[in-house]
């Protein structure tokens, strides 16, 4: 069976932005490199969500149309750049051939930008926090400018700039041995304007020990930047610390980014494990450690981990 898919204008826009050459072509499922396709950095928490794949299977059986997947041609077959869930669903349904966007081999940087941008919308999508992390990565690791990274991840330019600034100063201060992960992000974004690491570290330490409003942090940063000498800078920072200690008392600030509820990551992990054991990379489930290519010297460790997982699951579920 050959599955014909519809145009994906958003994917085409991203591919054109990344300046990659692509054509629409029918490809055989047998020519897909499933193992290479499973290594996908697009989603921070998971790769293939079994629940979404199951929903796709139901929708496809009902005749719903889906956008074309994006694949890259390689020596070992086609590598899925965007559309792992759709491909998994079509494979489950027994499709032998599909219509896809096929890219010629592309440089690693372009590939990573494509992967991280193409996978932000389909399936259950990724939430704003994950898209922000992807945008920051595109800027700091892939060399995109903030405006383009924000556009690719559908985020406000100014907000992405703040996160990038905060990430940069965090890296700078981490190199000096200071962990500022508990300093509020917006405060870090404004502290990033201070190029002197000693001054930035001093203010960050104060914010770790005392609670300050964003306006107060903004004012002290402006004062530091306007200071004509190191002596005056130190004086103003001392006055800032004394003010916070006197008016608000010592209070450790904990403004870590709110994480997803534990149950969501937990269920995603279980779904991924269940899908892998049930279908593997080729649609065939595993029935023994040999099929998992588990060597005798590793078998004991695998069994121990599996036993621990089962024991913890029974404890969590209240099953004796």
């Amino acid at each position: 069976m050959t599955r014909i898919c519809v145009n994906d204008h958003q994917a085409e826009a991203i591919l054109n932005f990344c300046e990659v050459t692509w054509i629409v072509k029918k490809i055989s499922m047998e020519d897909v490199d499933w193992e290479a396709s499973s290594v996908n950095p697009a989603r921070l928490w998971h790769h293939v969500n079994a629940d979404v794949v199951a929903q796709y299977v139901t929708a496809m059986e009902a005749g719903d149309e889906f956008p074309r997947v994006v694949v890259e041609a390689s020596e070992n077959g086609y590598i899925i750049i965007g559309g792992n869930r759709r491909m998994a669903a079509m494979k489950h349904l027994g499709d032998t051939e599909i219509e896809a966007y096929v890219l010629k081999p592309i440089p690693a940087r372009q590939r990573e930008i494509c992967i991280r941008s193409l996978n932000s919308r389909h399936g259950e999508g990724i939430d704003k926090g994950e898209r922000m992390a992807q945008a920051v990565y595109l800027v700091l690791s892939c060399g995109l400018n903030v405006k383009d990274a924000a556009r690719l991840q559908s985020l406000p330019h100014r907000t992405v700039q703040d996160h990038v600034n905060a990430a940069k100063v965090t890296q700078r201060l981490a190199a000096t041995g200071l962990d500022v992960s508990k300093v509020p992000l917006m405060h870090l974004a404004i502290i990033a304007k201070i190029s002197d690491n000693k001054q930035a570290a001093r203010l960050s330490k104060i914010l770790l020990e005392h609670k300050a409003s964003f306006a107060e942090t903004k004012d002290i940063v402006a004062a530091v930047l306007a200071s004509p000498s190191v002596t005056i800078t130190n004086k103003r920072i001392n006055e800032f610390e004394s003010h916070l200690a006197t008016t608000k008392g010592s209070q450790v600030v904990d403004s870590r980014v709110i994480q997803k509820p534990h149950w969501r990551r937990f269920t995603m992990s279980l779904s991924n494990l269940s899908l892998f054991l049930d279908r593997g990379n080729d649609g065939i489930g595993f029935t023994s450690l040999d099929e998992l290519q588990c060597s005798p010297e590793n078998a004991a460790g695998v069994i121990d981990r599996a036993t621990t997982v089962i024991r913890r699951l029974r404890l969590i579920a209240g099953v004796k």
Side-chain angles (χ1 to χ4, degrees):
M1 172 184 175
T2 300
R3 186 173 299 276
I4 305 299
C5 299
V6 299
N7 293 335
D8 188 337
H9 298 298
Q10 185 177 63
E12 292 177 11
I14 291 172
L15 295 176
N16 290 335
F17 170 83
C18 293
E19 299 181 340
V20 298
T21 302
W22 54 272
I23 60 173
V24 175
K25 178 181 176 181
K26 293 178 182 178
I27 65 171
S28 171
M29 285 288 196
E30 293 182 353
D31 294 333
V32 175
D33 187 338
W34 296 98
E35 184 174 356
S37 299
S38 68
V39 182
N40 188 328
R43 297 172 186 271
L44 302 181
W45 296 105
H46 57 287
H47 294 298
V48 176
N49 186 323
D51 292 336
V52 174
V53 173
Q55 292 169 16
Y56 280 5
V57 168
T58 300
M60 288 177 183
E61 287 177 325
D64 287 2
E65 293 182 326
F66 280 76
R68 296 186 190 98
V69 300
V70 180
V71 300
E72 178 189 10
S74 74
E75 293 181 356
N76 297 321
Y78 295 107
I79 299 174
I80 303 169
I81 299 296
N84 278 287
R85 293 163 176 75
R86 282 167 280 162
M87 287 291 280
M90 288 183 277
K91 184 178 181 181
H92 176 82
L93 289 171
D95 291 1
T96 57
E97 190 178 57
I98 70 161
E99 193 178 70
Y101 292 109
V102 180
L103 317 181
K104 293 181 178 179
I106 55 178
R109 176 179 177 273
Q110 285 176 290
R111 180 186 302 107
E112 188 155 29
I113 293 173
C114 284
I115 290 175
R116 291 177 181 273
S117 302
L118 287 168
N119 289 273
S120 297
R121 304 291 179 270
H122 293 301
E124 77 276 33
I126 59 176
D127 65 21
K128 185 177 179 180
E130 288 178 281
R131 284 188 285 119
M132 184 62 71
Q134 296 285 16
V136 171
Y137 182 91
L138 290 174
V139 173
L140 298 183
S141 298
C142 296
L144 279 188
N145 62 54
V146 171
K147 183 178 179 181
D148 287 338
R151 181 159 68 91
L152 286 173
Q153 294 296 326
S154 298
L155 293 167
H157 171 210
R158 183 68 256 175
T159 306
V160 173
Q161 184 66 69
D162 288 338
H163 278 72
V164 168
N165 290 344
K168 285 181 176 179
V169 76
T170 297
Q171 291 176 356
R172 278 170 45 199
L173 297 182
T176 70
L178 179 62
D179 179 6
V180 295
S181 60
K182 292 186 178 181
V183 176
L185 182 141
M186 292 305 297
H187 293 245
L188 284 175
I190 197 71
I191 288 176
K193 294 182 178 181
I194 300 175
S195 59
D196 187 294
N197 279 348
K198 288 185 179 179
Q199 295 172 359
R202 176 81 191 285
L203 282 178
S204 297
K205 288 178 180 178
I206 291 173
L207 293 178
L208 285 170
E209 297 174 357
H210 304 284
K211 187 174 183 179
S213 68
F214 176 69
E216 289 172 324
T217 300
K218 188 175 180 180
D219 287 343
I220 185 58
V221 169
V224 168
L225 294 175
S227 295
S229 68
V230 175
T231 300
I232 295 178
T233 295
N234 291 334
K235 179 181 178 182
R236 289 177 175 174
I237 293 178
N238 289 337
E239 290 173 347
F240 174 65
E241 184 175 23
S242 298
H243 164 70
L244 294 180
T246 302
T247 59
K248 301 183 180 182
S250 180
Q251 181 177 353
V252 175
V253 178
D254 186 357
S255 292
R256 289 169 290 185
V257 176
I258 298 175
Q259 300 296 318
K260 291 182 177 179
H262 294 303
W263 68 266
R264 183 171 180 181
R265 187 173 185 184
F266 172 65
T267 53
M268 285 178 179
S269 298
L270 283 182
S271 295
N272 288 338
L273 177 60
S274 175
L275 182 65
F276 175 69
L277 293 178
D278 187 46
R279 302 178 188 175
N281 289 324
D282 56 4
I284 303 175
F286 300 99
T287 59
S288 69
L289 291 179
D290 288 338
E291 292 179 359
L292 283 168
Q293 297 179 345
C294 180
S295 61
E297 57 267 25
N298 293 329
V302 172
I303 294 172
D304 181 63
R305 291 187 182 90
T307 302
T308 300
V309 169
I310 293 172
R311 183 173 66 250
R312 295 300 299 178
L313 286 175
R314 294 177 68 88
L315 177 63
I316 292 170
V319 178
K320 295 183 179 180

